[in-house]
Amino acid sequence: MSPPEQTAAVPSKLTPTSVRSLGHQCAQRGREYGVLAVFAALFVALSLSSDAFLTTTNLLNIVDQWAAIGIIALAATLVLISGGFDLSVAAVFSVTGVIAAKLATSMGVAPALALGVLSGLGFGLLNGLAVVGWKVNSIIATLATGIVIGGIATNLTGGNLITVADTGFTALGQNELLGITLPTWFFAITAVLLGFLLHKTVYGRYVYAVGGNIEAARLSGVRTGRITIAAYGISGLAAGFAGVMVASQQATGQAGAAPNLVFDVVAAVIVGGTSILGGSGAIWRTVVGIGLLALIQNGATLLSLDETYRQMITGAIILCAAAIDVWARSRTGGA
Amino acid sequence: MSPPEQTAAVPSKLTPTSVRSLGHQCAQRGREYGVLAVFAALFVALSLSSDAFLTTTNLLNIVDQWAAIGIIALAATLVLISGGFDLSVAAVFSVTGVIAAKLATSMGVAPALALGVLSGLGFGLLNGLAVVGWKVNSIIATLATGIVIGGIATNLTGGNLITVADTGFTALGQNELLGITLPTWFFAITAVLLGFLLHKTVYGRYVYAVGGNIEAARLSGVRTGRITIAAYGISGLAAGFAGVMVASQQATGQAGAAPNLVFDVVAAVIVGGTSILGGSGAIWRTVVGIGLLALIQNGATLLSLDETYRQMITGAIILCAAAIDVWARSRTGGA
Amino acid sequence: ACGGSSSSDEPAGSATATARAAAGAKGPITLPTGKVKCGETPNGDDPCLVPAAPPEGEEVRIGFFALANNTFASAAEKGVRETASKYGATVTTLLNPFNPSVQQAQLRDSIAANKFDAYIVEPVNPPALAPLFKQLIDKGIPVTTFGLTNGPDDSTARIQLEGQTLQTSRTPVSQGQDAAKAAVEACDGKDPCKVAILRGTAVLAFDTNMAKALTAELDKSSNVDVVATGFGQYLGGPSRTAMQNILTAEPDVDVLVTLGDQMTVGAEQAIRAAGKTDQIKIVSMGAGTTAAKAVKDGRWYSSTMVLPQNEGVLNAVAAIAAARGQEMSVGIASIDTRGELPLNITRDNTAEWQEFVPQWSGL
Amino acid sequence: MVRAVDTTDVAPLIELAGVGKRFGEVRALSGVDLAVGHGEVHAFVGENGAGKSTLVKVLMGVHRPDDGTLRVDGRERHYHSPHDALQDGVAGIAQEISLVPQRSVMENVFLGREPRRAGVIDTRALRRRLVELQARTGFQIPPDARAGSLSIADQQRVEILRALARDARVIVMDEPTAALSKTESEKLFEVVRRLRAGGTTVIYISHFLQEVLALADRVTILREGRVVRSGESARETTDSLVTAMLGRALGQVFPPKRPPAPGAPVRLAVRDLSRGSACRDIGFDVRAGEIVGFAGLVGSGRTEMARALIGADRADTATVAVDGRPVRIRAPKDSIRCGIAYLPESRKDDGLMMSRPAAENITLPHLRDISRVGVVTGANEASRCLDLLHRVKATVKGPRDPVRALSGGNQQKVLFARWLFSKPKVLIADEPTRGVDLGAKAAIYELIRELADEGIAVVVISSEHEELIGLSDRVLVMRGGRVVRELADDQITEDNIVSAALTV
Ligand SMILES: Nc1ncnc2c1ncn2[C@@H]1O[C@H](COP(=O)(O)OP(=O)(O)OP(=O)(O)O)[C@@H](O)[C@H]1O
Ligand SMILES: Nc1ncnc2c1ncn2[C@@H]1O[C@H](COP(=O)(O)OP(=O)(O)OP(=O)(O)O)[C@@H](O)[C@H]1O
Ligand SMILES: [Mg+2]
Ligand SMILES: [Mg+2]
């Protein structure tokens, strides 16, 4: 979020640019949305080339399918903006589903689900502590904790699926509200909540500051450690929630449930245009990034693209989207 | 490379510390090698706990097993130091093996192998061009090209294995020289070559400069684009070579041959202590990083660790190694 | 539009099914391995419940959902495509990288877009797909599954989803048990007989159950001793590594059992490099091209029969027939379609599979 | 809070006793005893590497001292982070500019002190307060500009605004005027005086000793991490400070001018250099042995001119000749090959590889000279770098230490040494003595003059008029991207420069 549209509050006589700043800002606004343009173009192209695309069912399906990855990616946006990486999300996603499914067989469904989600928060906070307390690079720290957590998941399942028949258990992932599946609602709610958190609150500001220049943030009195730990906590919570949601949807807890999750998540966030260097990015960008990946996959199925071409086209679109976004933004000289 | 051992650059009459600086430097040297200490500790522990560990066969086996990943990780070190990432190596690894195997069925073995390796170089250079020319973040660029290249591999194989019976084809991966397998030799040679390139040549200096401060490098007359492109080229070449080597070893070309390759490669480089921020790192670090991962895997089998515990212990050791390395280096106040 | 036709090194199946099949004709169905025998199927339904050929009718649009970069799926696809082109059907392939959500999405999107008249699926995570399958069955669109068992219980080939048209699977339990039989034979006369097992991964239920059945069966023989378990990711390279490490830890292994030919290839390299070719008998799984040759040459002791192309043909015939109105609900352990062929190919029973053309290159 | 300026009766606001701090084996501070009173302006002076920044970082909670105690209001404090210090009302500006480059000026200024309601930022209050603050200081920076896109000087101003926004009792300023022009600095002094009048204590670090004497009530001199003496500034003179800092008296700061012979050849000729609105139609000559100074207000386009000239930014039009031969410069490598060396104004952003040792930083542009077939030949490099560091009077303790571990001034000297490695034909130095202590400044001036004497054409861009006056044979004054005035010999005076830079 940027502050409300307004020209320079203090007319600066030093810069010859201030008179141009209104026009400049408009241009900048437009150009910041490079990735959105790519998304829109793909959307239109699919609408034209497949009758099945622009139907309520299909569009709702798309969101529902990407809800879990989306929720994780939204939280990952925070982590990336704070200058870190969370590669453990795939493992957390699996283990929380396993925990929920396993507990559901021995206790009430509701506490089982809740404990599954909370375990995600716990793993996330541990990640944060490792990164902050031991000062270990986040990629290596979360790669390592991911392996450990994956081991725990395997251990809990013994290599099997844990199937839960209880309809209470499957409600979270399968039920609908106003004709829209709960996962879709959860995705939307997460986007709004995290968008608010990141763009309107002091905590959000600090996330940007920590990622942009941690030393500056520290000097300004920001307790950077807490900010970072909280970001990993949120990431773990989101992965845990998504894991439980999918376990519920699939009525199954499974170790190694999401081999490509990390790639999808990172791709979604970065395609959206959030920088891996930290300090810049936005929630809407990740929503668009998820949308782009979702459209590509959906389109491939609808147009019956051969697998090999699907892969090539997916890669090409991601690359082009990133390039166009870079190009559009470079024209503003801005972030 | 840094200047040879020497005390205070400027014999400063002002500082009382110069007489102590020799001792300081020794201490600093020792501390820089934190990760090496972890490696040594693990090595000793394994020697004591398993009779089978400290045998020539086992040690040679270990190196041979990790030769392919090692070769790729060595080249990835260059890319990381230059401030980038190459996530496409797994796909390049697969496709070059497929290309070599496929061509070997229709042309001479030697040109088939050579073309396989060269295609890796080609893909690498294309990665470099995408990163430099389009200014796309390297993670997203190589993620995308990786998907495209994976698609090409699938397309070439049509989902099958490509088996090559020719013994000429398998020589590269299976033959021995002086009782040591060729892959082991190749790994050693790559380490020496890239170590030389990175630490002794002008090109190596430029790699550090580009990763350390690209604007400073540019203002110092470094053609940063070429340096970067070359780094990706080397990475592609290494992945290509490793891919062909393994295809030869297995007498098989296969799409999707290395699902976890990227994780292993990144883990090895970062565990060694090369920074993902660019500008610092070293070839020996990656050799040690590979060694650490290899010891963990070998040790787990020798000690018959249960799979789930193996995962947990692997993760824990990686995390500890990274933490100890950070701790040791923080004590120098240095890089 | 989809270029999924198989590559040149795939052994040509001897598909000679008669195109003159009358509408709904019953009788022995002709598969690439020859004619199946009816009525002798301990593990499931009678394969002859599937019509010999589908009735004639309108073009059937088949959606084929399987694993990407998977030789088993490719071989099955080949069977599907050949059958489809013979009986007036089109095939669209949608692959997933062993990812349940991707497969789920592909199915949902296809259902929403009403793309196919019949679905042939290799189900990655059956519980997740069940609601989608029910939706299809309710609409009268046939669903057939192959490869992996479509249901929570993968010890049986019987159909577990009501209304499903056909399931062919080589159940992990029977597969593990068959491999165990070969291993026990290989251990004959040795006491103790040290066995090493090479699995794919620890996180797939399919793999876990296969390994469980295998060890349970091996435990029944008092002389057999499982001394090591490794993981080869169903790939040659990691298998070689795992085997090298196993041999370092347990130098006097007598028998190696792997859960896939491709892993065996890697493990064999390690055995050869360690100079233990004569010491270790290799029991593999898949009966692919490589395996058939290795067993004939006496390098491997055995390989357990897997017939992916048969599964493809059966699925396609059933899917097309059902789409044209024929009703059936058949669950077949695909091994029951092997006709005269043995459960495990070994050197001793070469006579029984002299003419056998392997259906794939091996897992 | 006591608002009395008289500090004699009251316990000192800040008291340090026996404070020591080591980095590895480097003793940055040892046994520092010091008292800072309420409402005073207290200056720290000392050579580069004397420990000034380390000392204030201890006060600001950035570093934890290894030994000794810190008391604030008579109570012993152990700060774990700047947050703790801020709680006590101690805020500051670090020497190295540290802003969040991707975020706006407004966000940077109020970082850590956002007006909020239940955790939600009150954007309107934020904007209002910034306007107030800007009015108070006279610093005018577009509130929505990205901090990273500002010039160094503007960034410095944002830092100052941020420190002021804390409403702190103690404000530490570590070389706040290093990047400011004279007029800008004057404005800052006003602010400092007003703060003092309001009872705020200001700790002030600067290498501009006159500035220190004019502004500070008390001054503490540091050398080698120890306090030499601490006392009222009224009792000090520039010379007494220098003597205490260096341990010796400093002779002449500026070397005598030796203008080139009238017939000296023109080494650098520039015509029609334009780049957008930042610099327009610039033309000048520099002769062998001549030092040409570029003066102007901050933002007048001097840096832009230099960058366009050396090919760091693409010029719209440019005609450049070196030694009479026209050259085409499209990238910095071209200008280096033509013998033009450029010392950038921001050592952190454009100059140094912070994680690499000094020697590697020095030889970066000259690797071709110390390599054979692409292989760097090491020994030669090390010894030459040692000589150079010596020549610029840099104190570099561990040759393998990354330059990040050096004090700010020593970093600047490393950068300077870079361009002495190979003898260039033209040297363009953009703020060459920024953050350098007086002793070293004299050495650098000496060096620049020596280089000129060797026949190099030197361009010095500086915001320190004194420096331009003392050093230059000729001064060009820029305004709004154009060269508006050329001053030679006697014309080079403060008045002339200022009037040319300001007059419309
Ligand atoms: N983070 C650090 N790691 C290692 N050494 C350091 C570090 N910070 C400062 N030093 C060393 O401590 C000493 C004092 O440095 P400091 O930055 O306090 O000097 P200074 O007086 O501020 O100098 P300048 O005028 O150049 O800014 C120097 O020798 C410096 O190299
Ligand atoms: N990144 C930027 N974006 C927009 N305008 C800029 C940028 N950098 C500089 N400018 C503008 O270009 C003009 C010249 O700036 P320049 O930095 O060259 O001035 P200078 O005289 O060197 O002053 P300084 O002391 O700040 O270096 C000014 O109007 C300035 O506002
Ligand atoms: Mg300082
Ligand atoms: Mg400037």
Side-chain angles (χ1 to χ4, degrees), chain B residues 52-53 55 57-58 61-62 64-66 102 150 153-154 156-163 173-174 176 181 183 246 248-252 254-260 297-298 301-304 307 311, chain C residues 3-7 9-10 68-72 74-75 77 95 202-203 227-229 231 233-238 240-242 244-246 248-250 262 265-266 269 272-273 290 360-363:
Chain B
F53 175 74
T55 59
T57 323
N58 187 49
N61 274 352
I62 297 180
D64 181 63
Q65 288 159 11
W66 287 80
K102 194 138 185 150
T154 310
L156 288 175
T157 60
N160 278 300
L161 303 178
I162 302 181
T163 315
Q174 296 184 357
E176 299 193 347
T181 62
V246 169
S248 155
Q249 198 175 46
Q250 306 285 322
T252 319
Q254 186 177 7
N260 298 314
Q297 192 191 63
N298 185 253
T301 314
L302 294 192
L303 303 178
S304 303
E307 172 66 8
Q311 287 184 49
Chain C
S5 69
S6 57
S7 72
D9 62 322
E10 184 66 23
N69 290 328
N70 184 288
T71 49
F72 181 94
S74 301
E77 184 184 357
L95 301 176
V203 297
V227 293
T229 304
F231 295 87
Q233 319 293 333
Y234 294 105
L235 293 168
R240 182 166 160 277
T241 299
Q244 276 182 348
N245 291 344
I246 287 175
T248 309
E250 296 286 344
Q262 178 59 20
V265 171
Q269 288 173 7
R272 205 184 308 133
T290 319
W360 61 324
S361 45
L363 193 64

Side-chain angles (χ1 to χ4, degrees), chain A residues 14-17, chain D residues 148-154 179 277-278 296-305 345 430-431 434 461 463:
Chain A
L14 293 178
T15 60
T17 47
Chain D
S149 73
L150 300 174
S151 69
I152 296 290
D154 274 341
S277 61
L297 295 181
V298 165
S300 57
R302 297 161 300 168
T303 298
E304 294 265 346
M305 179 274 296
E345 65 176 338
D430 198 347
E431 312 286 0
R434 177 168 287 173
I461 298 173
S463 298

Side-chain angles (χ1 to χ4, degrees), chain D residues 53 95 174-175:
Chain D
S53 297
Q95 179 173 13
D174 195 349
E175 303 197 26

